[in-house]
Amino acid sequence: MRIAHVGMSTPTDILAEALVNLGHEVEVFRKTDVLKLGTGTPYRGPQHLYKLRKFDVIHLNAHRLLPFALETLIPGRKIVLHHHGCDVLGKGEPRGAQWAHHRFCNYDLVPWCPGAQVLPLPVEKSVDWSGFENGHVLHGETAPEKAGTRHVIDACRNLGVELVRWQSERKLWQHKMELARVVIGKVSRWHGMPGMTPNEAMAMGKPVLCWVSERVRRMMPSGLPVVSVTPETLHVELERVLQSRTLREELGGRGREYVQTHHDPKLVAEICAEVYGR
């Protein structure tokens, strides 16, 4: 199949590569390059619509791209709408979303995307870095006001540990993650699931803290080795993990196994390919 992925994200690039490995022709179109990945074909909306006409499947990442879906509803082309985060969280899908042939979403978005299929985040395999520690805590969120970042800053300051925050250059960011002692995702009671940063950290064998809602935990495969924290419990749990190398190694080993089992890009690509081919 010829598949166009429209919209930039790390999971998009990983999924596209996995689909290529399955034998499909895939091209990624992006409007911006916030993560400085340096890949993908520029796409500027209606004036570039012609670029999508050669594809069998158009996979749109985030509902803000819905107008592109409506413009590309051409007979013989399948439109897949994929919700990733704050574009629908607490708001719901936009009118017209039901016109897509299929809808995917993350675990924490299920209440706002009724009928959408949950798709696990694809995570690349990584070298085990759990034995390497620089001592710093890493926390990277592009929307800190919604992630509870101020609570992370306060906890690290009170514990006297270095905090490394979001780095827009991906290779530098991964290097900082490789040497982190602990990685913290979103701690506010908003998203409720491990995002891309926690999953990539687990793939490296790093212990992860973030808020995991009970609803999300029930939906996800069992055995998720993430320490669930809230703004109120973050300080105590972070101190507990920082003080025990044995606990960090246990969480890191379980996390790496969990990601390899449930977030294998090939598995995620096969789910998508089955949907594309219906």
Side-chain angles (χ1 to χ4, degrees), residues 38-55:
T39 59
T41 301
Y43 188 82
R44 297 291 182 268
Q47 66 268 38
H48 284 178
L49 180 61
Y50 70 92
K51 293 184 177 183
L52 303 181
R53 294 184 182 276
K54 69 177 182 178
F55 296 95

Side-chain angles (χ1 to χ4, degrees), residues 83-147:
H83 301 299
H84 290 275
C86 291
D87 48 354
V88 296
L89 188 63
K91 305 172 185 177
E93 297 178 290
R95 284 185 294 179
Q98 71 276 10
W99 293 355
H101 298 101
H102 194 84
R103 293 172 297 130
F104 287 121
C105 72
N106 293 342
Y107 288 100
D108 57 337
L109 304 180
V110 168
W112 293 279
C113 306
Q117 179 181 355
V118 174
L119 187 69
L121 292 170
V123 181
E124 294 176 307
K125 292 182 180 179
S126 177
V127 175
D128 178 11
W129 285 89
S130 58
F132 298 84
E133 297 180 346
N134 257 5
H136 63 260
V137 170
L138 182 140
H139 169 73
E141 299 297 339
T142 54
E145 70 284 355
K146 295 179 179 178

Side-chain angles (χ1 to χ4, degrees), residues 8 13 30 32-39 166-171:
M8 187 207 70
D13 289 336
R30 61 183 80 249
T32 57
D33 196 9
V34 177
L35 298 180
K36 300 181 180 179
L37 300 173
T39 59
W166 172 248
Q167 308 283 330
S168 61
E169 205 287 310
R170 180 161 170 74
K171 288 185 178 180

Side-chain angles (χ1 to χ4, degrees), residues 256-270:
R256 189 171 56 254
E257 182 179 352
Y258 187 91
V259 168
Q260 290 175 352
T261 302
H262 301 294
H263 293 270
D264 185 344
K266 182 175 183 291
L267 172 65
V268 180
E270 287 173 344

